[in-house]
């Protein structure tokens, strides 16, 4: 492993070296980034470090660097290396930054990475549902959201509408908000907003009532109260 000097104090590894057998452990997570891999990482079944996830795109990777989650490594094109030099400089010394042209990265990840940058993250210790119920001002409760794009959209809107003090509670059947597509659609907000699994489901919902939350649910029913008529009490 060698440094090119383009990122002083970091291990910046140039494209031709990506074929080095010594880099297999660094590249392995980038070669298989499907949801099954993410679930196995979350549940500790890959043989790799538990809790790994993948961030894609300049904005999401920048948010990851600023978040409480740890950046394990970065894989990017020379253009992204130059454009994000200031952000990458915030990584701890010795953080592996793998640099290659798009065609080389495509051969590693299996598709054209047109956003030019991926980062492998390790999630911070998640809060419990009870901790979120106690500390959050607004909670979005999601039941069995299996579409990663929809999950990401929930977190993007929650950040916009809920603001500081917002969080998410997920049923056991929801997909992981830190899946690559979910993170991308959330514009990185799933890295900022705390979330937890609420169990037992649905009996655990009673804890919200006990804690004094006012619950509001969306429905297409014609006789439902218009959401614009609901009074909001910021306290």
């Amino acid at each position: 492993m060698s440094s090119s000097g383009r990122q002083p104090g970091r291990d910046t590894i140039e494209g031709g070296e990506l074929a080095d057998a010594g880099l297999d452990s660094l590249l392995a997570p980038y070669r298989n980034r499907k949801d099954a891999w993410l679930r196995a990482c979350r549940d500790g079944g890959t043989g790799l470090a538990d809790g790994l996830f993948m961030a894609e795109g300049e904005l999401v990777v920048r948010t990851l660097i600023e978040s409480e989650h740890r950046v394990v490594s970065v894989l990017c094109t020379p253009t992204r290396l130059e454009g994000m030099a200031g952000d990458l400089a915030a990584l701890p010394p010795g953080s592996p930054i793998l640099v290659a042209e798009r065609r080389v990265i495509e051969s590693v990840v299996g598709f054209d990475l047109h956003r030019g940058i991926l980062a492998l993250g390790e999630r911070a210790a998640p809060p419990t549902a009870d901790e979120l119920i106690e500390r959050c001002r607004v909670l979005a409760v999601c039941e069995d959201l299996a579409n990663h794009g929809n999950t990401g959209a929930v977190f993007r809107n929650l950040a916009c509408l809920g603001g500081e003090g917002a969080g998410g509670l997920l049923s056991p059947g929801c997909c992981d908000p830190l899946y690559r597509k979910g993170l991308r659609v959330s514009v990185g907000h799933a890295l900022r907003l705390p979330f937890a699994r609420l169990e037992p489901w649905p009996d655990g919902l009673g804890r919200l009532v006990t804690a004094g939350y006012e619950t509001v649910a969306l429905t297409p029913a014609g006789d439902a109260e218009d959401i614009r008529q609901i009074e909001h009490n910021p306290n």
Side-chain angles (χ1 to χ4, degrees):
M1 186 179 298
S2 65
S3 173
S4 70
R6 293 164 66 178
Q7 289 287 335
R10 273 105 194 130
D11 285 321
T12 306
I13 304 160
E14 294 298 334
E17 301 176 65
L18 294 188
D20 189 324
L23 299 179
D24 284 348
S25 61
L26 287 176
L27 290 173
Y30 295 97
R31 298 188 192 279
N32 183 3
R33 299 162 39 261
K34 297 181 180 179
D35 190 32
W37 173 83
L38 177 74
R39 285 196 301 270
C41 286
R42 187 185 67 206
D43 299 335
T46 60
L48 302 170
D50 296 352
L52 298 179
F53 62 91
M54 197 68 65
E56 177 185 353
E58 187 171 334
L59 180 58
V60 178
V61 172
R62 182 177 294 115
T63 302
L64 170 59
I65 293 172
E66 296 170 351
S67 75
E68 63 178 346
H69 307 284
R70 185 174 77 90
V71 179
V72 178
S73 64
V74 175
L75 175 63
C76 66
T77 64
T79 300
R80 285 289 180 261
L81 177 68
E82 181 178 354
M84 294 191 65
D87 303 287
L88 296 173
L91 295 175
S95 299
I97 302 175
L98 310 167
V99 185
E101 298 294 339
R102 281 176 57 174
R103 60 179 180 77
V104 178
I105 294 179
E106 180 180 356
S107 70
V108 172
V109 302
F111 68 96
D112 183 8
L113 184 67
H114 61 278
R115 290 177 177 81
I117 186 166
L118 286 170
L120 181 64
E122 182 179 15
R123 71 184 70 211
T128 66
D130 286 334
E131 288 172 340
L132 289 191
I133 291 172
E134 181 178 349
R135 84 188 204 207
C136 287
R137 181 179 57 83
V138 176
L139 286 169
V141 181
C142 302
E143 181 176 10
D144 294 355
L145 277 183
N147 182 285
H148 303 101
N150 289 343
T151 304
V154 167
F155 276 83
R156 186 180 69 234
N157 283 282
L158 179 59
C160 176
L161 301 176
E164 187 176 355
L169 290 177
L170 312 176
S171 76
C174 284
C175 59
D176 196 322
L178 297 190
Y179 179 63
R180 179 181 60 87
K181 181 179 179 181
L183 263 182
R184 188 177 73 242
V185 175
S186 79
V187 200
H189 286 299
L191 292 166
R192 292 192 175 108
L193 295 175
F195 61 88
R197 302 275 171 181
L198 181 61
E199 296 182 284
W201 184 271
D203 295 344
L205 292 170
R207 281 136 67 187
L208 293 170
V209 178
T210 302
Y213 280 85
E214 179 183 4
T215 57
V216 179
L218 299 178
T219 174
D223 59 350
E225 181 179 3
D226 192 315
I227 194 172
R228 291 169 293 186
Q229 304 303 316
I230 297 175
E231 294 184 7
H232 172 58
N233 181 1
N235 296 320

